[in-house]
Amino acid sequence: MVNEITRRKFIKGAAAVAIAVSLSGCGDTGYDVGEFRIYFAGKPAYGWMDSDNTGFVRLNINVKGIKNTLTLNRSFGEVFQAKAQDKTLELENRNSKINILQGLTQNCTLTFKLNAEDRELYNALCAGEEPLLLTVTLSAQSRQFALVLPENKVVPQG
């Protein structure tokens, strides 16, 4: 008996693989930080809230343990910091916890806020004129990334 692969079976199989890769957070864009690997998941969201005159930048980052001996239990504020120009952005959910057993992945949704006096800086971030500098500190090691928001471009620094 010949095992035939129809076009329909091929497309269904390819779709299943694509979904599995996207859900695992293990695409080709992983970056090692100490005993952990981070993945930038999806496009950043950003907007200006006229109701309270603040702007926000929301990032989804998956963090995966890649060694078998450590567990991470830190607040978002201890792990993630963002700057634009010389301005440190406020992390709205800085007290949320990241708790990872090695080998597992946790999604971290980060919301950085800018106040009314930062409107020009916010506009520069949205236009891609200014990068958002994100520092990730894990296992006593730090790594910085420059994010160009409208292009969804991540450039590791150093």
Side-chain angles (χ1 to χ4, degrees), residues 9-20:
K9 286 181 184 177
F10 175 79
I11 291 172
K12 284 174 70 176
V17 168
I19 290 170

Side-chain angles (χ1 to χ4, degrees), residues 7 11 18 40 49 52 79 85 87 90 95 123 127 138 146 156:
R7 181 171 185 234
I11 291 172
F40 290 87
M49 306 299 290
D52 63 357
V79 176
Q85 295 174 351
K87 169 82 177 168
E90 175 190 349
N95 293 323
N123 290 337
L138 295 162

Side-chain angles (χ1 to χ4, degrees), residues 109-134:
T109 300
L110 312 172
T111 303
F112 294 99
K113 293 185 79 171
L114 295 105
N115 295 320
E117 64 269 9
D118 302 319
R119 185 70 186 249
E120 280 187 40
L121 177 57
Y122 171 80
N123 290 337
L125 286 168
C126 295
E129 298 165 359
E130 191 67 41
L132 177 72
L133 298 176
L134 179 71

Side-chain angles (χ1 to χ4, degrees), residues 74-77 91-97:
R74 299 277 187 268
S75 70
F76 282 9
L91 180 55
E92 184 178 72
N93 51 343
R94 68 175 286 102
N95 293 323
S96 295
K97 289 286 188 177

Side-chain angles (χ1 to χ4, degrees), residues 31-39 62-72 74 98 100-105 136-143:
Y31 302 96
D32 290 352
V33 181
E35 290 88 7
F36 299 88
R37 186 164 295 139
I38 66 165
Y39 303 90
N62 293 328
V63 180
K64 180 177 183 179
I66 56 176
K67 301 281 184 191
N68 293 325
T69 57
L70 297 176
T71 299
L72 177 71
R74 299 277 187 268
I98 179 170
I100 298 177
L101 299 173
Q102 294 302 319
L104 299 179
T105 302
V136 180
T137 304
L138 295 162
S139 305
Q141 294 184 27
S142 293
R143 190 154 185 197

